[in-house]
């Protein structure tokens, strides 16, 4: 069966999702069967070490609605999403979800209605998260901090779960930045955007693949890519330290020439040396974060390497083989 150009591409990055994959396929099939839209599913394997690639291969070779991209290694969630967006063929819009089903694919109809009303970006707003209190508090604090310091209007409590128009996807494909924060890039592009509230489901199978270190890296990408605050705070800290030094100088002069006394206090002096040394190290660290991003961007390396692809034009030649034909591409 030759699948016509789809109206919608559903993009789902996967990393070690063997347990949740069968449930994902069932729900995606139901969405496609009950919808009047022409839909394809783009599954991106982000270097999984379990049987996720094999399961992806099996479903892609038996169902022409599935298009699978296998990355050469684990590049991270944001890069996997980037690969999926680049591979999508949709003529109207791309629907981005997580493969763990915490983002319900059944909301496609509601999102598409907003798209038909003229919105280029329809993002999901989490009104309730079924996670532990620490994660809920940390996420809420981060989003509010980002909104306070960012020069881009990034919506509160909204992640990558969204529907974006074809022209927004085309702009994202033209943005080559290495340290990606797609929800920020999506807001930066502009066009008409609106939010849809939903309750984020608890993860049913497996464990979250986002470690604290990965979440910290994602937060850093958001802060340093979409805010001038870290640079400006260095200037403010410098002005603050100059002010403290000026006040201390005035105090010293008053004690010397009016009270004929020399200020005492080795402990206080040591405290200020340690304090301002710490401030200097923080300033160097903030500058280093920007330099590090410039360094990686200046290398000009591809964002990812594709190990294998199963798509419509390859499906006939691949059927009957034990494994997909290897084809390496750098993007």
């Amino acid at each position: 069966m030759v699948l016509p150009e789809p109206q919608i591409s559903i993009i789902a990055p996967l990393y070690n999702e063997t347990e949740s994959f069968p449930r994902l396929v069932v729900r995606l099939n139901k969405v496609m069967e009950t919808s009047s839209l022409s839909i394809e599913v783009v599954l991106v394997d982000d270097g999984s070490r379990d049987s996720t690639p094999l399961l992806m291969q099996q479903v892609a070779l038996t169902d022409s609605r599935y298009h699978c991209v296998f990355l050469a290694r684990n590049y991270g969630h944001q890069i996997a999403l980037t690969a999926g967006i680049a591979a999508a063929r949709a003529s109207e819009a791309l629907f981005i979800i997580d493969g763990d089903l915490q983002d319900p694919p059944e909301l496609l109809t509601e999102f598409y209605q907003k798209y038909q009303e003229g919105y280029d970006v329809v993002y999901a707003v989490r009104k309730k998260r079924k996670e532990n209190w620490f994660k809920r508090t940390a996420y809420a604090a981060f989003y509010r901090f980002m909104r306070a310091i960012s020069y881009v209007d990034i919506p509160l409590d909204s992640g990558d779960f969204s529907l974006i128009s074809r022209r927004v996807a085309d702009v994202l494909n033209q943005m080559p930045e290495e340290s990606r924060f797609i929800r920020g890039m999506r807001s930066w592009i502009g066009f008409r955007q609106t939010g849809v509230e939903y309750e984020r489901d608890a993860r049913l199978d497996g464990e979250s693949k986002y470690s604290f270190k990965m979440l910290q890296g994602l937060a850093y990408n958001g802060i340093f890519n979409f805010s001038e605050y870290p640079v400006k705070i260095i200037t403010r800290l410098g002005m603050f330290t100059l002010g403290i030094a000026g006040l201390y100088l005035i105090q010293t002069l008053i004690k010397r020439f009016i009270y004929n006394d020399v200020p005492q206090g080795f402990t206080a002096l040591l405290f200020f040396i340690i304090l301002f040394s710490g401030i200097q190290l923080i300033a160097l660290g903030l500058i280093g974060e920007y330099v590090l991003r410039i360094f990686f961007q200046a290398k000009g390396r591809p964002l990812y390497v594709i190990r294998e692809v199963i798509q419509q034009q390859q499906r006939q030649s691949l059927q009957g083989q034990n494994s997909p034909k290897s084809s390496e591409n750098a993007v």
Side-chain angles (χ1 to χ4, degrees):
M1 182 180 67
V2 178
L3 185 69
E5 182 180 61
Q7 296 171 270
I8 303 293
S9 292
I10 300 177
I11 300 170
L14 304 173
Y15 179 64
N16 293 343
E17 296 290 355
T18 298
E19 293 141 328
S20 63
F21 188 83
R23 195 190 304 270
L24 173 66
V25 171
V26 168
R27 290 177 63 174
L28 288 175
N29 286 344
K30 186 175 180 179
V31 168
M32 290 188 284
E33 289 162 5
T34 57
S35 175
S36 60
L37 299 168
S38 173
I39 302 173
E40 73 165 356
V41 176
V42 180
L43 302 177
V44 183
D45 173 53
D46 189 22
S48 296
R49 298 180 180 180
D50 60 2
S51 58
T52 300
L54 178 61
L55 296 175
M56 289 170 58
Q57 174 189 333
Q58 291 172 348
V59 72
L61 292 177
T62 56
D63 192 332
S64 60
R65 298 172 298 184
Y66 285 84
H67 174 178
C68 291
V69 177
F70 302 84
L71 300 184
R73 64 171 177 84
N74 177 240
Y75 290 90
H77 182 261
Q78 297 295 290
I79 297 297
L81 275 182
T82 300
I85 292 171
R89 299 185 303 125
S91 59
E92 294 188 22
L94 285 65
F95 187 51
I96 299 170
I97 66 172
D98 277 346
D100 57 13
L101 290 174
Q102 288 187 278
D103 302 332
E106 293 80 9
L107 287 180
L108 172 60
T109 302
E110 185 175 352
F111 279 44
Y112 186 73
Q113 289 174 351
K114 292 291 184 181
Y115 165 78
Q116 289 183 309
E117 293 173 11
Y119 292 100
D120 281 275
V121 175
V122 184
Y123 54 84
V125 178
R126 299 158 181 158
K127 63 181 179 181
K128 188 177 181 181
R129 305 179 69 111
K130 297 177 182 178
E131 294 166 328
N132 64 64
W133 69 269
F134 178 78
K135 273 195 172 183
R136 292 198 305 270
T137 303
Y139 279 121
F142 170 71
Y143 282 118
R144 280 144 188 84
F145 178 68
M146 272 299 301
R147 190 177 185 101
I149 68 172
S150 178
Y151 58 77
V152 175
D153 184 17
I154 300 177
L156 291 176
D157 304 317
S158 65
D160 297 315
F161 182 29
S162 61
L163 183 141
I164 60 175
S165 68
R166 177 75 259 177
R167 62 177 177 174
V168 171
D170 290 340
V171 175
L172 282 174
N173 289 332
Q174 295 170 16
M175 300 172 73
E177 53 206 73
E178 187 270 344
S179 55
R180 301 181 80 78
F181 186 67
I182 291 179
R183 65 200 71 174
M185 297 164 67
R186 182 184 70 201
S187 298
W188 179 89
I189 290 171
F191 297 123
R192 294 187 66 197
Q193 306 195 11
T194 188
V196 173
E197 286 192 339
Y198 82 113
E199 286 193 17
R200 184 170 172 82
D201 294 332
R203 187 181 179 93
L204 296 177
D205 302 289
E207 297 179 354
S208 174
K209 308 306 183 297
Y210 255 117
S211 64
F212 177 79
K213 183 178 179 181
M214 294 173 66
L215 288 171
Q216 185 183 45
L218 182 65
Y220 276 23
N221 285 342
I223 292 169
F224 290 101
N225 289 3
F226 293 95
S227 175
E228 301 169 348
Y229 187 79
V231 171
K232 290 183 176 180
I233 198 173
I234 295 174
T235 304
R236 293 170 184 172
L237 285 172
M239 298 296 291
F240 173 75
T241 56
L242 282 176
I244 294 294
L247 291 174
Y248 188 73
L249 175 61
I250 293 171
Q251 180 192 26
T252 303
L253 293 175
I254 290 173
K255 284 192 173 185
R256 175 66 181 85
F257 293 105
I258 296 179
Y259 299 102
N260 196 26
D261 184 25
V262 177
Q264 302 294 322
F266 175 78
T267 304
L269 181 62
L270 183 62
F271 168 77
F272 280 110
I273 290 174
I274 295 173
L275 172 64
F276 294 128
S277 296
I279 291 175
Q280 289 175 339
L281 290 175
I282 291 172
L284 287 174
L286 292 175
I287 295 172
E289 287 290 339
Y290 286 101
V291 173
L292 190 63
R293 281 159 175 74
I294 295 170
F295 169 68
F296 282 116
Q297 192 69 40
K299 288 182 178 181
R301 292 177 181 173
L303 295 179
Y304 54 88
V305 177
I306 296 176
R307 176 173 58 87
E308 298 165 358
V309 174
I310 302 179
Q311 54 188 356
Q312 184 168 300
Q313 57 264 41
Q314 293 179 312
R315 189 166 282 107
Q316 184 176 357
S317 63
L318 289 173
Q319 286 179 343
Q321 299 182 17
N322 292 328
S323 62
K325 185 186 296 182
S326 176
S327 59
E328 296 188 358
N329 296 285
V331 180

